[in-house]
Amino acid sequence: EAVVSTQSTGNFEVTALNDNKNYFDYHETFSSKIESLACLRSAGLSGCFELQSYIKGAHKIRAIVDFTSSTKALMEEAVEILAPLNPEVYVFVSAAAVYDVAIPVPAPIKEEDVQRPESVIMRESYNEKNTFGNNMLGSEEALKDSGLPYVILRCADIVGPRDTTYRWWQYQVWVEHFELINTGFVVPSMLKNMRYSLTYGGDVGQAIVSALQKGVKDRVYNIAMEKEFTLPHFLLELCKAFDSADTCWADFTEAEETYTIYPSNHQGILSIARAREELDFQPTPWDTVLRETGQFYSEARLRFTNERNTVLQKLGDNVIPYLSVGPLNEAMTQRDGGPRPLGPTPPVSADKIRSEL
């Protein structure tokens, strides 16, 4: 979705290289608007015949936008095979998890705050705690070493419609059917007051378009919403949006091994000052994100049955008491009492969060 938005807002022609799976309404909404190359990334780009044919066609490429090189090896493969396209810039959508494997600094975290520890023992310790962050930072390092002009966009946890991690949708189902599930949100004590950022998926597209139009190169940008969160704050705002604030409750626990969905990185909020200054980045307001995302998933329960069943499976495996699984599945497939429209959510004070959740 973020890439296709470059077509409508930036007047670019888009060719998508992906596994051609129809998540949500991808084929219905986007496939007619872009050229698609089907390729399993796990099988290797060198064996992707459609890509090899495309490269031999001597196409003129303005930019490559990479969402999938999630390890150093994948990035090294990508830049080697795609370099003959001679892109003006290689845009890599990375993750704020890279800060979890860097030397800790006070928040808000700036782009230059990625320094791996010199101590091998400390470096290995950080890498073990966040393997994903280590892999993504390895991808960034491989891209920088490739010699290609680059732009790296570091995103916090992504929220918004069509999110295939299903993180928001799990929490939303939990909120919408809280009394039926009858299980409180799990909030580990270490996350109770931890501030973190979120990134709206549509804002990633905005940043990509701006980077291409402005011609920036060899720069790294944090992309996130202006609003900052704690886990209790986020959950209460979701509960209020669905008129469930009187029924929601949380289980604050000292246990470390619990089922929590946000945040996936723990170094704190991101500074977006550089993106504002150099890309004219304007993050979507939280009220808009909450309303549009909530409405999408409320309507998605009947429209996208495969994705809905994935969400129910995740909740069934990790959250829902056994006796509630059947009633929840039935409630999620009923047409009556369908999605409730969302209105603006009033500001919530920290004291109110602690007393109500």
Side-chain angles (χ1 to χ4, degrees):
E1 184 175 5
V3 174
V4 173
S5 70
T6 65
Q7 188 178 44
S8 58
T9 60
N11 196 30
F12 298 108
E13 293 183 3
V14 177
T15 299
L17 174 68
N18 54 36
D19 59 12
N20 204 34
K21 291 182 179 179
N22 189 28
Y23 296 107
F24 294 101
D25 55 352
Y26 173 79
H27 287 166
E28 173 187 342
T29 305
F30 303 129
S31 62
S32 64
K33 301 177 182 179
I34 63 177
E35 180 181 359
S36 294
L37 306 177
C39 181
L40 283 176
R41 189 72 199 271
S42 59
L45 295 180
S46 59
C48 180
F49 298 113
E50 290 190 32
L51 175 60
Q52 297 301 325
S53 177
Y54 183 85
I55 293 174
K56 292 177 181 177
H59 293 77
K60 171 60 179 175
I61 296 296
R62 175 78 175 273
I64 294 170
V65 182
D66 185 346
F67 290 87
T68 63
S69 291
S70 55
T71 67
K72 181 178 181 180
L74 287 175
M75 179 60 78
E76 289 175 339
E77 177 196 43
V79 295
E80 178 182 359
I81 291 177
L82 299 176
L85 291 172
N86 195 28
E88 295 179 18
V89 65
Y90 193 116
V91 181
F92 177 49
V93 181
S94 186
V98 300
Y99 296 114
D100 278 11
V101 297
I103 299 172
V105 297
I109 305 172
K110 300 179 178 63
E111 290 83 355
E112 60 268 25
D113 292 332
V114 172
Q115 298 292 331
R116 291 188 187 267
E118 292 186 6
S119 165
V120 174
I121 295 176
M122 289 185 63
R123 181 178 296 198
E124 291 179 350
S125 175
Y126 288 174
N127 293 347
E128 289 176 1
K129 290 180 179 178
N130 196 322
T131 302
F132 176 68
N134 176 48
N135 287 338
M136 292 299 277
L137 186 52
S139 296
E140 291 188 11
E141 292 164 345
L143 176 57
K144 292 178 179 179
D145 291 342
S146 72
L148 292 173
Y150 65 84
V151 168
I152 295 172
L153 305 179
R154 292 187 185 135
C155 302
D157 289 327
I158 299 287
V159 298
R162 303 178 181 87
D163 175 20
T164 54
T165 68
Y166 307 111
R167 290 177 290 195
W168 177 297
W169 200 357
Q170 289 179 71
Y171 271 139
Q172 183 167 323
V173 171
W174 203 338
V175 167
E176 290 180 299
H177 301 278
F178 201 93
E179 290 183 301
L180 192 158
I181 295 174
N182 196 31
T183 298
F185 301 118
V186 180
V187 180
S189 57
M190 64 171 290
L191 298 181
K192 182 178 179 180
N193 299 309
M194 181 181 291
R195 298 185 302 159
Y196 63 89
S197 296
L198 292 173
T199 300
Y200 183 52
D203 289 345
V204 181
Q206 176 199 151
I208 293 170
V209 171
S210 182
L212 298 183
Q213 290 178 334
K214 293 180 178 296
V216 296
K217 295 177 182 177
D218 299 338
R219 298 293 282 167
V220 181
Y221 299 98
N222 289 332
I223 303 299
M225 282 188 279
E226 187 170 27
K227 186 178 181 65
E228 61 185 64
F229 301 87
T230 64
L231 183 54
H233 191 169
F234 171 82
L235 293 172
L236 185 57
E237 294 228 340
L238 203 58
C239 290
K240 284 180 172 291
F242 287 92
D243 296 326
S244 299
D246 293 335
T247 56
C248 289
W249 55 278
D251 178 15
F252 293 92
T253 175
E254 297 294 328
E256 294 185 4
E257 296 297 326
T258 58
Y259 189 66
T260 52
I261 301 173
Y262 298 128
S264 64
N265 51 283
H266 300 151
Q267 288 305 308
I269 58 174
L270 302 180
S271 169
I272 57 173
R274 179 185 291 181
R276 282 187 180 279
E277 179 180 351
E278 298 184 11
L279 301 181
D280 296 327
F281 176 64
Q282 296 295 328
T284 302
W286 165 242
D287 281 351
T288 302
V289 173
L290 178 58
R291 182 177 62 254
E292 293 183 354
T293 305
Q295 190 66 40
F296 178 86
Y297 291 119
S298 287
E299 297 171 352
R301 67 187 183 91
L302 295 178
R303 186 180 176 191
F304 305 115
T305 57
N306 290 336
E307 290 81 0
R308 178 198 66 204
N309 292 340
T310 298
V311 170
L312 292 174
Q313 182 68 48
K314 288 177 178 290
L315 289 173
D317 290 344
N318 297 286
V319 174
I320 307 171
Y322 177 75
L323 293 179
S324 298
V325 172
L328 177 61
N329 289 349
E330 183 177 353
M332 284 288 286
T333 57
Q334 293 296 319
R335 290 190 175 275
D336 55 339
R340 290 170 287 179
L342 299 178
T345 304
V348 185
S349 68
D351 291 338
K352 200 173 186 68
I353 293 166
R354 283 191 285 268
S355 64
E356 294 193 22
L357 187 59

